[in-house]
Amino acid sequence: MLEQLKEEVFQANLELPKQGLIKYTWGNVSGIDREQGLFVIKPSGVSYDNMKASDMVVCDLQGNVVEGKLNPSSDTPTHAVLYQRFSEIGGIVHTHSTWATAWAQSGLDVPAMGTTHADTFYGTVPCARFLTQEEIDRGYEAETGELIAETFKEREIDPLEVPGVLLHGHGPFTWGKTPSSAVMNAVVLDEVCKTNFVARQLNSYAEELPQRVLDKHYLRKHGKDAYYGQN
Amino acid sequence: MLEQLKEEVFQANLELPKQGLIKYTWGNVSGIDREQGLFVIKPSGVSYDNMKASDMVVCDLQGNVVEGKLNPSSDTPTHAVLYQRFSEIGGIVHTHSTWATAWAQSGLDVPAMGTTHADTFYGTVPCARFLTQEEIDRGYEAETGELIAETFKEREIDPLEVPGVLLHGHGPFTWGKTPSSAVMNAVVLDEVCKTNFVARQLNSYAEELPQRVLDKHYLRKHGKDAYYGQN
Amino acid sequence: MLEQLKEEVFQANLELPKQGLIKYTWGNVSGIDREQGLFVIKPSGVSYDNMKASDMVVCDLQGNVVEGKLNPSSDTPTHAVLYQRFSEIGGIVHTHSTWATAWAQSGLDVPAMGTTHADTFYGTVPCARFLTQEEIDRGYEAETGELIAETFKEREIDPLEVPGVLLHGHGPFTWGKTPSSAVMNAVVLDEVCKTNFVARQLNSYAEELPQRVLDKHYLRKHGKDAYYGQN
Amino acid sequence: MLEQLKEEVFQANLELPKQGLIKYTWGNVSGIDREQGLFVIKPSGVSYDNMKASDMVVCDLQGNVVEGKLNPSSDTPTHAVLYQRFSEIGGIVHTHSTWATAWAQSGLDVPAMGTTHADTFYGTVPCARFLTQEEIDRGYEAETGELIAETFKEREIDPLEVPGVLLHGHGPFTWGKTPSSAVMNAVVLDEVCKTNFVARQLNSYAEELPQRVLDKHYLRKHGKDAYYGQN
């Protein structure tokens, strides 16, 4: 079942330690087949050294296991809800990468302070609030997904234009058209958190990027007038 | 004697440089056989490049060498006391890893500011005070162990729920059910010190994790209702 | 065409990830043949893993492609203008390296605080302002080159003595007599931004290097009385 | 001539990039044969990739080349003076390692804030002042050596007990009984500067190590009552 997607999700998971985003098993990547309404995700707590493509678990959009011998990532319900709420995304990544996690612990949004940010995120990356006791009781992981969707709706952010979020006190979720682009967005978000941290320490009055520069950089890589790359 | 434990302790020691926790020989891991009341520890000041499993030293709970041609780690009496005072632990790690050591030099406790912390440590990781001259004269290394045990007792912390400590001006000790889990706890503590440092620099008013989130994350990985991983 | 220069530019591009200056494809190096008035540059958005020397693109000084199957870097017009304005340089590098980018986001110039700086940059490395809307409309990349040239002219800085610049909110450009020396200057600028950051955090009153030490270090490596190295 | 010492100095030089202390050729190690009154040092500006043991240059204590086809390190006169003034040292290292260089740029001494420091340096590592114009004119490199010796004499520091120094706005020099121990001291000094930096940022009131802990840690590794290691 979904052998090609399993391979793709497996390779995207291997990219996490290679890019320095995770230690041990502190991360997970999934990818979805929209036609079948099924997504493939890393198993829970399995060492990356021993993991095989065939260990990937297939789930439906309610987060139920459809195929696989291993338990899926404990964050599976978050992925399921995000695939439901954000209908155009194809892959999701969660890590505890150092700089994005540190920023998440600060409880602050990540402003667009540089073009590295603008090349990928079209504006501020929001930091979602802590879950309430009621939400935790109802189901921590699924409610995390609902909170992310709620945050983007309330703040009128398009999840394709800003393909990531921080969870206060926790860490980042990123997404993309594919599992591998979701991983790249995770790399960018971590790097942006690092450079913004240093910039602010150097100069607490450091400005955000002017809207005109944000527009220019985002739009030269995304949308109908893009002219970056080979396409 | 204890060949399997020697291999396990040897491998856990090799994990220290691999995880970036130590340079040269600045660290040591031990593991205990509770039935025999003997523990195995790295020899003192031996290069990791040349070390073999058979170089591991066997000691009794008074810290006396029972088997081995080499001197055990100079921190052996600390390990011996910790095995006596914390009767359920199976492995101990000491390093001078950068971020945990820096935090230890600040003299501050490590508050639970994120879920990376909560996944492993059920609350604040304490920073134990400097030893007094009297304690140093009585035996620096053994008294370090006594101080750690005293700190956990006075502050009513369960050493299995908070499997690590900082020593003011020195660095971290961590422990676990096994030598390898003690190493993983050392990795987590170092990472937590790094992310907390950055979070506090970004926002000096950054909050600690609410108790409800701390509970949720710790208890989904530990105890009878845990649902993380494959068990 | 220009096979040797293509190889040189290709190798200099490979040096960027090797030196930790870039992730993915976030950088570009070019080199010029002054006699033919043509320069060679990395193609846009091509993975470093698959890139070959023959993928390098040949452009004229107006930034038009003269030879090559792939699109040149989207920053090509910046390179073209710099080769026009700075007639003695032979290679140009652009990266989003962490520390230089963070400094660029702070909007501050990089003062000469240490001899690592003085060995390569004879004084302050300027931070150029944001482009105006009018400049962006006229052509973002070419105007970036004009802005750099304007900055050096207005501030009366010799581009051979200070072979690099920061662009506010963006990142560094560096140059040199050859593509590989331009890469080395990019490494130095990133390192200098890191050490200056730490020095200022440690001591906000930290002094700039006295002129006499700046002179000594720069001049023992550059110019007619240099005595560093094997020449 | 001195083939064994050349090999030892060569290996110690290779250790610099391996330990992350240098990039390119920004460092040098030397070692002395006290009986012959000759020292061996790295050639100037030679790439570490191509360097061979036979490229090492032999100099006398006035810094004159006695054997070797290549120019010795431009810092050779500093090494020569240090060997003259500090009669018991056997090896010297100079780097621009990130954290020690940043600290040197702050112009501050490095206080003993942790036991990593105390295991190697018996007290504060001094930061020597900028050279005067007169000193630079007299001979920058030799006067740097004189300044280091003067700093230790005026402040009554034993160079064997504190085997390193920072030069304001420049970087560290360390030394030891052998070239390889001088490299290890360079690693320790860089690490100590990093951990102290973080500790001070976390807590600007962070205390220095009490004298009793400094004594204990230094003396358990050094001197007649040492009990660390296998001797």
Side-chain angles (χ1 to χ4, degrees):
Chain A
M1 248 183 117
L2 299 171
E3 300 307 319
Q4 198 185 327
L5 184 58
K6 278 182 191 167
E7 181 64 28
E8 202 182 331
V9 168
F10 173 60
Q11 292 297 339
N13 272 289
L14 292 186
E15 193 74 6
L16 299 184
K18 197 179 149 197
Q19 292 287 348
L21 295 178
I22 66 162
K23 297 182 177 187
Y24 295 107
T25 62
W26 309 344
N28 44 72
V29 183
S30 70
I32 192 167
D33 182 315
R34 286 282 176 192
E35 289 188 19
Q36 300 197 38
L38 298 174
F39 69 93
V40 165
I41 193 165
K42 189 182 82 86
S44 181
V46 170
S47 164
Y48 281 67
D49 293 338
N50 307 320
M51 209 163 58
K52 300 183 300 292
S54 57
D55 292 332
M56 301 298 108
V57 184
V58 181
C59 298
D60 64 23
L61 284 177
Q62 281 65 48
N64 302 311
V65 174
V66 171
E67 189 211 53
K69 295 180 302 289
L70 297 165
N71 297 336
S73 165
S74 56
D75 295 314
T76 296
T78 314
H79 291 246
V81 170
L82 288 177
Y83 284 125
Q84 288 177 48
R85 298 286 172 265
F86 296 162
S87 59
E88 292 179 82
I89 67 176
I92 298 173
V93 172
H94 174 51
T95 77
H96 287 199
S97 70
T98 302
W99 299 92
T101 298
W103 200 288
Q105 290 186 183
S106 79
L108 304 171
D109 291 347
V110 186
M113 296 180 71
T115 62
T116 311
H117 184 121
D119 285 340
T120 297
F121 299 98
Y122 196 21
T124 297
V125 175
C127 182
R129 64 170 167 76
F130 288 121
L131 268 70
T132 64
Q133 184 66 59
E134 197 181 9
E135 289 166 332
I136 292 173
D137 292 344
R138 203 150 58 212
Y140 179 71
E141 293 82 5
E143 290 297 318
T144 295
E146 298 292 358
L147 172 62
I148 294 171
E150 171 201 302
T151 301
F152 275 64
K153 194 174 175 189
E154 281 184 4
R155 297 174 61 164
E156 299 181 352
I157 304 170
D158 178 338
L160 288 186
E161 290 185 346
V162 178
V165 70
L166 298 182
L167 300 168
H168 193 175
H170 188 160
F173 269 86
T174 58
W175 46 82
K177 288 285 188 188
T178 62
S180 73
S181 69
V183 172
M184 189 184 288
N185 294 341
V187 170
V188 173
L189 183 52
D190 200 63
E191 182 69 11
V192 159
C193 288
K194 186 175 186 182
T195 49
N196 282 10
F197 165 72
V198 174
R200 283 203 171 177
Q201 295 296 112
L202 263 172
N203 179 4
S204 57
Y205 299 101
E207 297 171 59
E208 290 190 38
L209 217 51
Q211 185 67 38
R212 64 185 185 275
V213 179
L214 179 64
D215 287 346
K216 179 67 197 176
H217 267 265
Y218 186 76
L219 298 172
R220 77 173 186 167
K221 286 189 99 169
H222 305 270
K224 65 179 175 54
D225 296 324
Y227 57 90
Y228 180 90
Q230 297 302 328
N231 305 309
Chain B
M1 246 183 120
L2 299 171
E3 300 308 318
Q4 198 185 327
L5 183 58
K6 278 181 191 167
E7 181 64 28
E8 202 182 332
V9 168
F10 172 60
Q11 292 297 338
N13 273 289
L14 292 185
E15 193 73 6
L16 299 184
K18 197 180 149 197
Q19 292 287 348
L21 294 178
I22 67 163
K23 297 182 177 187
Y24 295 108
T25 62
W26 309 345
N28 43 72
V29 184
S30 69
I32 193 168
D33 182 315
R34 286 283 176 190
E35 289 187 21
Q36 300 197 37
L38 298 173
F39 69 93
V40 166
I41 192 164
K42 189 183 82 87
S44 181
V46 170
S47 164
Y48 281 67
D49 293 339
N50 307 321
M51 208 163 58
K52 301 183 301 291
S54 58
D55 292 332
M56 301 297 108
V57 184
V58 181
C59 297
D60 64 23
L61 285 177
Q62 281 65 48
N64 301 311
V65 174
V66 172
E67 188 212 54
K69 296 179 302 289
L70 298 165
N71 297 335
S73 164
S74 56
D75 295 313
T76 296
T78 314
H79 291 245
V81 170
L82 288 177
Y83 283 124
Q84 288 177 48
R85 298 287 172 264
F86 296 163
S87 59
E88 293 179 83
I89 67 177
I92 298 173
V93 172
H94 174 52
T95 77
H96 287 198
S97 69
T98 303
W99 299 92
T101 298
W103 200 287
Q105 289 186 185
S106 79
L108 304 171
D109 292 346
V110 186
M113 295 181 71
T115 62
T116 311
H117 185 120
D119 286 340
T120 297
F121 298 98
Y122 197 20
T124 296
V125 175
C127 182
R129 64 171 169 76
F130 288 120
L131 268 71
T132 63
Q133 184 67 58
E134 198 181 8
E135 289 166 335
I136 292 172
D137 292 343
R138 203 149 59 211
Y140 179 70
E141 292 82 5
E143 291 296 318
T144 296
E146 298 292 357
L147 172 62
I148 294 170
E150 171 202 301
T151 301
F152 275 66
K153 194 175 175 188
E154 281 183 5
R155 297 175 61 163
E156 299 182 351
I157 304 170
D158 178 339
L160 288 185
E161 290 185 346
V162 178
V165 71
L166 298 182
L167 299 169
H168 193 175
H170 190 161
F173 269 86
T174 58
W175 46 83
K177 288 285 188 187
T178 62
S180 72
S181 69
V183 172
M184 189 183 289
N185 294 342
V187 170
V188 174
L189 183 52
D190 200 63
E191 181 69 13
V192 158
C193 288
K194 185 174 186 181
T195 49
N196 283 10
F197 164 72
V198 174
R200 284 203 170 177
Q201 295 296 112
L202 263 173
N203 179 3
S204 58
Y205 298 101
E207 297 171 60
E208 290 190 38
L209 217 51
Q211 186 66 39
R212 63 185 185 275
V213 179
L214 179 64
D215 286 346
K216 180 65 196 178
H217 267 265
Y218 186 77
L219 298 172
R220 77 173 187 167
K221 286 188 100 168
H222 305 270
K224 66 179 174 52
D225 296 324
Y227 57 91
Y228 181 91
Q230 298 301 328
N231 306 309
Chain C
M1 246 184 118
L2 299 171
E3 300 307 318
Q4 198 185 327
L5 184 58
K6 280 182 190 168
E7 180 64 28
E8 203 181 332
V9 168
F10 172 60
Q11 291 298 339
N13 274 288
L14 293 185
E15 193 73 7
L16 299 184
K18 197 179 150 198
Q19 291 286 347
L21 294 179
I22 66 162
K23 298 181 177 189
Y24 296 107
T25 62
W26 310 344
N28 43 72
V29 184
S30 69
I32 192 167
D33 181 314
R34 286 283 176 190
E35 288 187 21
Q36 300 197 36
L38 298 172
F39 68 93
V40 166
I41 192 164
K42 190 183 82 84
S44 182
V46 170
S47 164
Y48 281 68
D49 293 339
N50 307 320
M51 207 164 59
K52 300 183 299 294
S54 57
D55 293 331
M56 301 298 108
V57 184
V58 181
C59 298
D60 65 22
L61 284 177
Q62 281 65 47
N64 302 311
V65 174
V66 172
E67 188 213 53
K69 296 179 302 289
L70 297 166
N71 298 335
S73 165
S74 56
D75 295 314
T76 296
T78 315
H79 290 246
V81 171
L82 288 177
Y83 284 124
Q84 288 176 48
R85 299 287 171 266
F86 296 162
S87 60
E88 293 179 82
I89 67 177
I92 298 173
V93 172
H94 173 52
T95 77
H96 288 198
S97 70
T98 302
W99 298 92
T101 297
W103 200 287
Q105 291 186 184
S106 79
L108 303 171
D109 291 347
V110 186
M113 296 181 70
T115 63
T116 310
H117 185 121
D119 285 341
T120 297
F121 299 97
Y122 196 21
T124 298
V125 175
C127 182
R129 62 170 170 77
F130 287 121
L131 267 70
T132 63
Q133 184 67 58
E134 197 181 10
E135 288 166 334
I136 292 172
D137 292 343
R138 203 150 58 212
Y140 180 70
E141 293 82 5
E143 290 298 316
T144 295
E146 298 291 357
L147 173 62
I148 293 171
E150 170 201 303
T151 301
F152 275 66
K153 193 173 176 189
E154 281 184 4
R155 298 175 60 165
E156 300 181 350
I157 304 170
D158 178 339
L160 288 185
E161 290 186 346
V162 178
V165 71
L166 298 181
L167 300 169
H168 192 175
H170 189 160
F173 269 85
T174 57
W175 47 81
K177 288 284 189 187
T178 62
S180 72
S181 69
V183 172
M184 189 183 288
N185 293 342
V187 170
V188 174
L189 183 52
D190 200 63
E191 181 69 11
V192 158
C193 288
K194 184 174 186 183
T195 49
N196 282 11
F197 165 71
V198 174
R200 283 203 171 176
Q201 294 297 111
L202 262 172
N203 180 3
S204 56
Y205 299 101
E207 297 171 60
E208 290 189 38
L209 217 51
Q211 185 66 39
R212 64 185 184 274
V213 179
L214 179 64
D215 288 346
K216 180 65 197 177
H217 268 265
Y218 186 77
L219 298 171
R220 78 174 186 166
K221 287 188 99 169
H222 305 270
K224 66 179 175 51
D225 296 324
Y227 56 92
Y228 180 91
Q230 297 302 327
N231 305 310
Chain D
M1 247 184 118
L2 299 171
E3 300 307 318
Q4 197 185 326
L5 184 58
K6 278 181 190 167
E7 180 65 28
E8 202 182 332
V9 168
F10 173 60
Q11 292 298 339
N13 273 289
L14 293 185
E15 193 73 6
L16 298 185
K18 197 179 149 196
Q19 292 287 346
L21 295 179
I22 66 162
K23 298 181 176 188
Y24 295 106
T25 62
W26 308 344
N28 43 72
V29 184
S30 70
I32 192 167
D33 181 314
R34 286 284 176 188
E35 289 188 20
Q36 300 196 38
L38 298 173
F39 68 94
V40 166
I41 192 164
K42 190 183 83 84
S44 181
V46 170
S47 164
Y48 281 67
D49 293 339
N50 307 320
M51 208 165 57
K52 300 184 300 294
S54 58
D55 292 332
M56 300 298 108
V57 184
V58 180
C59 298
D60 65 24
L61 285 177
Q62 280 66 48
N64 302 309
V65 174
V66 171
E67 188 213 53
K69 297 179 300 290
L70 297 165
N71 297 336
S73 165
S74 56
D75 295 313
T76 296
T78 315
H79 290 246
V81 170
L82 288 177
Y83 284 125
Q84 287 178 49
R85 299 287 172 264
F86 297 163
S87 59
E88 293 178 84
I89 68 177
I92 298 173
V93 172
H94 174 51
T95 77
H96 287 199
S97 69
T98 303
W99 299 92
T101 297
W103 201 287
Q105 290 186 183
S106 79
L108 303 171
D109 292 347
V110 186
M113 296 181 71
T115 63
T116 310
H117 184 122
D119 286 340
T120 297
F121 299 98
Y122 196 21
T124 297
V125 175
C127 182
R129 62 170 170 76
F130 288 120
L131 267 71
T132 63
Q133 184 67 59
E134 198 181 10
E135 288 166 333
I136 292 172
D137 292 344
R138 203 149 59 211
Y140 179 69
E141 293 82 5
E143 290 297 317
T144 295
E146 298 292 358
L147 173 61
I148 295 170
E150 170 202 303
T151 302
F152 275 66
K153 193 173 176 189
E154 281 183 5
R155 297 175 61 164
E156 299 182 352
I157 303 171
D158 179 339
L160 289 185
E161 290 185 347
V162 178
V165 70
L166 299 181
L167 300 169
H168 193 175
H170 189 160
F173 269 86
T174 58
W175 47 81
K177 288 286 188 186
T178 62
S180 71
S181 69
V183 172
M184 189 184 290
N185 293 341
V187 170
V188 173
L189 183 53
D190 199 63
E191 180 70 11
V192 158
C193 288
K194 185 175 187 183
T195 49
N196 282 11
F197 165 71
V198 174
R200 282 203 171 177
Q201 295 296 111
L202 263 173
N203 179 3
S204 58
Y205 298 101
E207 297 171 60
E208 290 191 37
L209 216 51
Q211 186 66 38
R212 63 185 185 275
V213 179
L214 179 64
D215 287 347
K216 180 65 197 177
H217 267 264
Y218 187 77
L219 299 171
R220 78 174 186 166
K221 286 189 100 168
H222 305 270
K224 66 180 175 51
D225 296 324
Y227 56 92
Y228 180 90
Q230 298 301 328
N231 305 309

